[in-house]
Amino acid sequence: MSNTVDFESLHATVRQIATTVAAIHARDVDTKARFPEETIAALKAAKVLSAPVPREFGGAGLGMKQLGLLCATISGACGSSGMVLAMHFIQVVCVTRHHGDSAMFKRYMTEIVETQPVLASITSEVGTFGDTRSSICAVQREGDKFVLNKQATTGSYCAHADAILVTCRRDEAAPKNDQALVMVRKTDGKLTQTTTWDTMGMRGTCSPGFDLQSSGDVAQILPASFADISAMTMVPYSHILWAALWWGIANDAFSKAAAYVRGEARKNPGVTPPTAQQLAKLSVDLQAMKNNWQSIATEFDELTAAGKDEDLLGMSWGLKMVNLKIGASDAAPQIVHKALQIVGILGYKNDSPFSLGRHYRDALSASLMISNERIASKGASMLLVLKDE
């Protein structure tokens, strides 16, 4: 069976889960700031959580664009569920792309397919002020065992994960930017929650701070440096999959606005409602947002398929990531806002079928997830030295 057919079948299943599970529980997840357990359980049952795992290990071997479409589909129904799925995919590909022929991680890829574990990450740390490429804690090796303790400012859905990939200094003598990525299984560690998670949006991601105390087998330390993992995998997958899911939220908001306009048109056959022109203009913004993330996702897939991963380390690609992240995170709430102006009070009401409150609040998180100001400063530095192509 071809990869395309596999994806089409999986995508159809995800669309059904979005409609019959994620959308049904989205309001309760948002209201109670609880983990979207029903949606994740349905994705597990459908073997969606192993979608990025290569075919040789039993997975679907999906590429970036395909994974982005899955995340967008779920996020249109429930932003928190889409974000959990995207973050999980990001951790899975850190393993699939950087296992370094490790026997343990090869077995784990098969385990991901068989048992569908939920993978989370801890890249934040008290004292690093949001810089994921800097760590204070260090992994300590004691024979064939490791000890790793970390104070995290945020840990998205970590309390609900089966394993967490944790950044740290490679050893106690390493500088802050010489980092490793360590897989901590649920049975390896103890999480103590240190802060609360009562937020404006993305409430179901359940991302408070944690103190982590863990120990496990040294084979669970990924062999590649985190510098390479970050540049080649974590950064592009994060920015592209996040852009896809933000587009998914914006797309659903547009769909609600379109349904409202069509309803108004049916009330006066033959008369185009004033809001139709606003909707037409909004479709331009939505198409631009879609084309932006999909073109970069396609480029990523082509580069990796051609074995040109080294291109992902270049400044030109880095600037594309900066521009995609800022562009998508700015566009999503603007599109939702314009959809709200079209729908009016029915979009403002939480108990309306046209309600856009959750979409708006979830989309506002986009510019804060790795601050746009921080990313823009990196882009500015790149532009000072990058020559026009």
Side-chain angles (χ1 to χ4, degrees), residues 107-375:
R107 289 195 301 272
Y108 191 65
M109 283 189 281
T110 301
E111 185 179 328
I112 291 173
V113 175
E114 292 174 348
T115 66
Q116 300 287 300
V118 175
L119 274 60
S121 73
I122 290 181
T123 55
S124 68
E125 187 172 5
V126 175
T128 61
F129 307 103
D131 182 7
T132 60
R133 284 292 291 111
S134 178
S135 291
I136 296 171
C137 67
V139 63
Q140 303 170 39
R141 293 171 174 80
E142 300 174 356
D144 60 354
K145 297 292 182 182
F146 74 81
V147 174
L148 175 58
N149 301 322
K150 184 171 187 174
Q151 291 181 304
T153 56
T154 57
S156 295
Y157 63 94
C158 283
H160 306 273
D162 299 293
I164 306 170
L165 271 64
V166 186
T167 53
C168 55
R169 286 185 294 138
R170 183 163 293 280
D171 55 54
E172 293 176 286
K176 289 185 176 182
N177 64 350
D178 183 8
Q179 297 166 289
L181 192 61
V182 181
M183 186 181 76
V184 177
R185 293 178 184 263
K186 193 172 187 176
T187 52
D188 295 330
K190 177 184 178 183
L191 283 172
T192 303
Q193 186 173 328
T194 56
T195 62
T196 58
W197 186 251
D198 186 3
T199 53
M200 183 183 296
M202 286 295 174
R203 292 168 59 79
T205 61
C206 302
S207 307
F210 290 100
D211 278 353
L212 170 70
Q213 294 183 318
S214 68
S215 62
D217 194 313
V218 292
Q220 293 169 217
I221 304 173
L222 277 162
S225 72
F226 183 66
D228 287 343
I229 294 173
S230 177
M232 293 184 178
T233 299
M234 191 169 281
V235 169
Y237 272 89
S238 294
H239 291 329
I240 297 173
L241 294 188
W242 287 350
L245 76 88
W246 294 329
W247 169 75
I249 293 171
N251 185 58
D252 193 65
F254 176 85
S255 296
K256 287 180 181 291
Y260 173 80
V261 172
R262 292 185 190 110
E264 292 297 295
R266 284 193 293 270
K267 294 176 183 177
N268 295 288
V271 178
T272 302
T275 50
Q277 187 169 341
Q278 293 174 258
L279 187 71
K281 290 179 179 179
L282 187 55
S283 71
V284 176
D285 298 338
L286 188 71
Q287 180 176 308
M289 187 180 182
K290 178 182 180 180
N291 290 346
N292 195 16
W293 81 259
Q294 289 200 350
S295 66
I296 294 178
T298 298
E299 184 178 356
F300 178 91
D301 286 335
E302 290 173 348
L303 285 173
T304 54
K308 296 182 178 180
D309 282 17
E310 67 278 2
D311 287 7
L312 304 175
L313 302 176
M315 197 173 294
S316 177
W317 178 262
L319 190 60
K320 285 182 182 179
M321 293 296 95
V322 167
N323 292 343
L324 174 63
K325 198 280 178 178
I326 293 176
S329 61
D330 282 348
Q334 289 174 19
I335 290 172
V336 178
H337 177 76
K338 291 177 182 178
L340 179 61
Q341 305 314 302
I342 292 171
V343 176
I345 192 65
L346 290 179
Y348 194 70
K349 294 177 68 176
N350 286 326
D351 58 354
S352 159
F354 300 103
S355 178
L356 292 168
R358 178 168 47 79
H359 297 68
Y360 210 161
R361 289 182 288 101
D362 284 349
L364 288 173
S365 73
S367 64
L368 306 176
M369 290 182 58
I370 309 179
S371 165
N372 275 8
E373 290 303 310
R374 178 188 293 275
I375 290 183

